[in-house]
Amino acid sequence: MTRSIQVPAGLFDSRDYGFAQVTITQTPTGRAVHVSGQVAWDADRNVVGRNDIGRQLEKSLDNLATALASVGASLDQVGALRLYIRQSHMHEGKAISGALKSTFGDTPPCTTWIGVPALADDAFLVEVEPSTVFLTSA
């Protein structure tokens, strides 16, 4: 199996941290696209929506869309999401649901909400991890 990486314009270059934002592996039926968990960082590593979980989730989903677009995919192709939510903000279901509905409308992916004590940066309130996206064209 060969893995290639994509460095999407608009996302910070994570290679200095030892990981890729997007990897692509070839399968017998096409390409499998894997995207790292996305947070509310802009391309310059500034936190967007500090102390606002709804805004952070929107930015995280925007970053996910950017990552997917870099390989010709879209949010519509994501079957499931895992949301890692700081336990201190698990009670903000209305803001979280609002951001999901705003992004996905009437056709949302399956989603699992997981409460965690902390994320990679103290300012992060949520991290979005998508399921693998499969592309049939090379």
Side-chain angles (χ1 to χ4, degrees):
M1 171 172 44
T2 303
R3 177 178 53 242
S4 62
I5 68 168
Q6 185 72 21
V7 181
L11 298 182
F12 81 98
D13 188 345
S14 60
R15 293 175 294 175
D16 287 343
Y17 293 87
F19 69 95
Q21 292 285 5
V22 179
T23 63
I24 305 101
T25 55
Q26 192 63 41
T27 72
T29 59
R31 297 180 297 159
V33 177
H34 308 272
V35 179
S36 286
Q38 295 298 306
V39 294
W41 259 358
D42 66 14
D44 297 317
R45 297 184 321 214
N46 297 307
V47 175
V48 174
R50 193 172 291 273
N51 299 317
D52 181 343
I53 195 166
R55 180 65 191 110
Q56 283 200 20
L57 181 52
E58 289 170 356
K59 179 59 177 165
S60 300
L61 292 168
D62 288 347
N63 287 347
L64 175 55
T66 297
L68 291 170
S70 75
V71 293
S74 70
L75 289 174
D76 290 340
Q77 293 169 276
V78 174
L81 292 173
R82 282 167 300 285
L83 301 182
Y84 299 97
I85 303 165
R86 295 249 327 246
Q87 288 174 333
S88 59
H89 288 74
M90 286 294 291
H91 69 281
E92 295 191 49
K94 186 173 182 177
I96 296 165
S97 295
L100 291 169
K101 288 177 184 177
S102 175
T103 300
F104 295 107
D106 293 334
T107 55
C110 298
T111 306
T112 300
W113 298 16
I114 304 164
V116 296
L119 292 164
D121 185 293
D122 285 340
F124 296 152
L125 305 178
V126 63
E127 183 168 340
V128 176
E129 183 183 28
S131 59
T132 302
V133 172
F134 295 95
L135 302 176
T136 55
S137 62

